[in-house]
Amino acid sequence: MDTMLPRKTTFLLIGKSVWLELIRRQDLYVCLMMLLLFLIGVFVMRIVGIDSPATGTFILNMGMMLASMCAHLLLIFLAARQFPSEMENRTLYPLLARPIRRSDLVLAKWLAVSLGGILVYTLLLTVVWISVPKLETYHAALLFQSYLLHVLSLLWLSSMAIAFSLFFPRGLAVLLCGIFFFGGGSLRQLISRDLPIRRLLSSYIPDFGMLNLTTRYTDGIDALAAHDLLALVGYGVVMIACFVFAARYAFRGKRL
Amino acid sequence: MAESVIGVHEISVSYGKRGKTVKAVDNISFTVEQGECVGFIGLNGAGKSTTIKTLMGFLFATSGEARVFGLPAGTPSSRSRIGYLPEVALYYPFMKARELLELYGGLSGLPKQKLHEKIPAVLEAVGLGEKSEILLKHFSKGMQQRLGIAQSIIAEPDLFIFDELTSGLDPIGRHTLRSLLKDLKATGKTIFFSSHELTEVEALCDRVLIIHKGRIVRDAKIAELSAESGSKGLEQFFIDLVHDTEATHE
């Protein structure tokens, strides 16, 4: 047993532990309860009768936004507590006493947490999409693009939450993620006013809104052109790479 | 000559930044040989846990070198042959004892089939045979410590490093642990542990390292210390040694 553990084994085992955490803690059930409330609302609306196609679209938009918000919020809390909890409870010690690399542990946690968020989002989105009647025309290709960018957004947010939790206290990490997720776009606009230097600085502020095509989809607008989609995918990938690198860097030299 | 299982050469470990550094470990050297059981004792804050964490790669030495099985301490390859018990850990509350051992055993490289065979036996050995399917949030501190011992022995490593071995254990737990360690020792495993329980150290160890204010102030075989301390016992000997060291420093 004096050889390194295969990466696949590390990723699968860490993934299983994160999965157990996800399904046995309360956060997921809060999301499912929100979904249940939404479904009850839709059920009542369908009995009473949806008066216009625009109302149907509004409900669909609300449901898809709810699915997105629940998955992202769940992910922030799940990702931001991974390393701080391990350190507080000292479970990081027996974990790192195994023949695994620190950088692999960061990658394994990030992938596992992200996968959990993606699965939750997929489940919520599917239930919402099936339950709401489609009274207007929407573009299927844009739904696929929206889903793809949401997956990127979830991967990005989990990498950000993990990185922040390794640099700052957990509460601050959650707060910063919340600020960037909900207000990144507004913050960018606020800073980019007037001076070119401010415009340049603002481009470094994470803007998750760029990866959210929900309203575009429910407004019935056409799918994105290939080069626009690629640009957004590229933006997401660069952001993910930056935060994963930062998390690995922070944890590599951390004194435990 | 065979390489020592643990070889610590003039390591120092400091904490803090910007001129406010505290030297937790100050230029210490020692070795632990194959098959030895070595007790590491000292007051709170003496540097025991810091030394152990450096051996595991959780902390980094500011100078000097530590090696485990001839490899730089803290590398994944050196850790693959160590069973480590941290000083009081609260294991994942959302997991069951079996699942926890599957995680740690798997990460130690044990195949699934072997794990399924070993887990009941290991849990039985630490007195948790009936608790394998209970969530850890329902475990007491003592049960958590027993589970900690179980995770450290699951992969049958060659070297055991225990930080505060008997912390949180009741008398029966201590008795079980003592038997377990004697069995491990009988099979030729190397054991290095810190403890405040000097009777435990006296009963189990071949050799004792005494650390005080970050420095090793005594490295001797138990037989030598027993002869030296006479009827005083190890505890009184330790207290006298600490007082003498303090007086010398003053």
Side-chain angles (χ1 to χ4, degrees), chain A residues 25-45:
Chain A
R25 291 186 69 136
Q26 293 165 352
D27 322 24
L28 178 65
Y29 299 99
V30 173
C31 286
L32 294 178
M33 278 178 66
M34 299 281 282
L35 180 68
L36 187 68
L37 285 175
F38 176 79
L39 288 179
I40 291 170
V42 172
F43 182 68
V44 171
M45 292 286 279

Side-chain angles (χ1 to χ4, degrees), chain B:
Chain B
M1 198 178 134
E3 184 124 32
S4 302
V5 172
I6 298 176
V8 171
H9 184 66
E10 293 176 357
I11 64 161
S12 296
V13 185
S14 301
Y15 292 108
K17 284 179 191 174
R18 293 176 197 137
K20 289 180 182 172
T21 53
V22 176
K23 228 174 197 179
V25 169
D26 188 4
N27 202 33
I28 65 169
S29 299
F30 64 88
T31 57
V32 176
E33 306 303 329
Q34 169 69 42
E36 261 194 313
C37 180
V38 177
F40 195 36
I41 61 177
L43 299 176
N44 289 331
K48 302 186 296 293
S49 291
T50 303
T51 306
I52 287 177
K53 283 178 181 175
T54 309
L55 287 175
M56 296 303 301
F58 306 145
L59 292 174
F60 310 106
T62 36
S63 63
E65 187 190 32
R67 295 182 88 83
V68 177
F69 295 109
L71 300 161
T75 54
S77 305
S78 76
R79 292 198 306 258
S80 68
R81 295 172 69 186
I82 303 175
Y84 172 70
L85 173 73
E87 179 189 5
V88 190
L90 295 169
Y91 295 96
Y92 309 106
F94 51 85
M95 272 193 191
K96 296 169 183 172
R98 173 186 51 79
E99 291 165 344
L100 186 90
L101 295 185
E102 280 173 0
L103 170 69
Y104 288 140
L107 288 174
S108 297
L110 290 183
K112 242 181 188 174
Q113 186 56 39
K114 195 169 181 190
L115 267 173
H116 287 164
E117 289 164 18
K118 285 207 69 166
I119 287 171
V122 169
L123 285 173
E124 198 63 51
V126 295
L128 294 173
E130 309 278 295
K131 313 281 184 191
S132 70
E133 295 304 316
I134 294 176
L135 285 175
L136 302 184
K137 66 179 175 188
H138 302 300
F139 272 37
S140 67
K141 195 180 166 194
M143 286 159 78
Q144 297 255 1
Q145 186 73 350
R146 285 164 187 249
L147 191 61
I149 295 160
Q151 64 79 21
S152 69
I153 63 174
I154 185 88
E156 296 176 20
D158 299 316
L159 166 67
F160 293 90
I161 297 181
F162 301 131
D163 198 354
E164 296 300 346
L165 182 62
T166 48
S167 172
L169 289 178
D170 57 24
I172 295 173
R174 286 177 192 204
H175 177 75
T176 311
L177 180 60
R178 202 177 304 143
S179 314
L180 197 70
L181 289 185
K182 280 181 178 164
D183 290 346
L184 292 173
K185 210 174 139 185
T187 56
K189 304 282 188 188
T190 310
I191 304 167
F192 179 70
F193 70 93
S194 71
S195 179
H196 286 298
E197 296 294 327
L198 302 190
T199 45
E200 213 72 62
V201 173
E202 213 165 5
L204 289 166
C205 295
D206 306 310
R207 192 155 62 91
V208 174
L209 292 170
I210 302 176
I211 186 166
H212 185 60
K213 291 189 172 173
R215 292 181 172 213
I216 302 279
V217 290
R218 197 66 204 264
D219 176 351
K221 291 204 174 346
I222 278 285
E224 284 172 35
L225 287 183
S226 299
E228 210 173 310
S229 60
S231 57
K232 283 195 295 187
L234 185 60
E235 192 168 85
Q236 193 55 48
F237 178 82
F238 171 70
I239 293 167
D240 291 346
L241 183 69
V242 167
H243 285 157
D244 289 349
T245 314
E246 292 281 328
T248 315
H249 278 276
E250 281 165 17

Side-chain angles (χ1 to χ4, degrees), chain A residues 80-93 95-96 102 109 162 165-168 170 250-251 254-256, chain B residues 53 87-90 92:
Chain A
R81 73 166 168 251
Q82 287 303 311
F83 284 98
S85 291
E86 296 262 18
M87 284 185 242
E88 280 162 26
N89 297 327
R90 304 181 187 211
T91 43
L92 201 55
Y93 296 134
L95 204 57
L96 283 177
R102 284 188 179 205
K109 289 249 183 204
I162 287 176
S165 74
L166 288 168
F167 284 107
F168 311 115
R170 181 179 8 185
F251 193 57
K254 202 165 184 73
R255 298 164 64 108
L256 303 169
Chain B
K53 283 178 181 175
E87 179 189 5
V88 190
L90 295 169
Y92 309 106

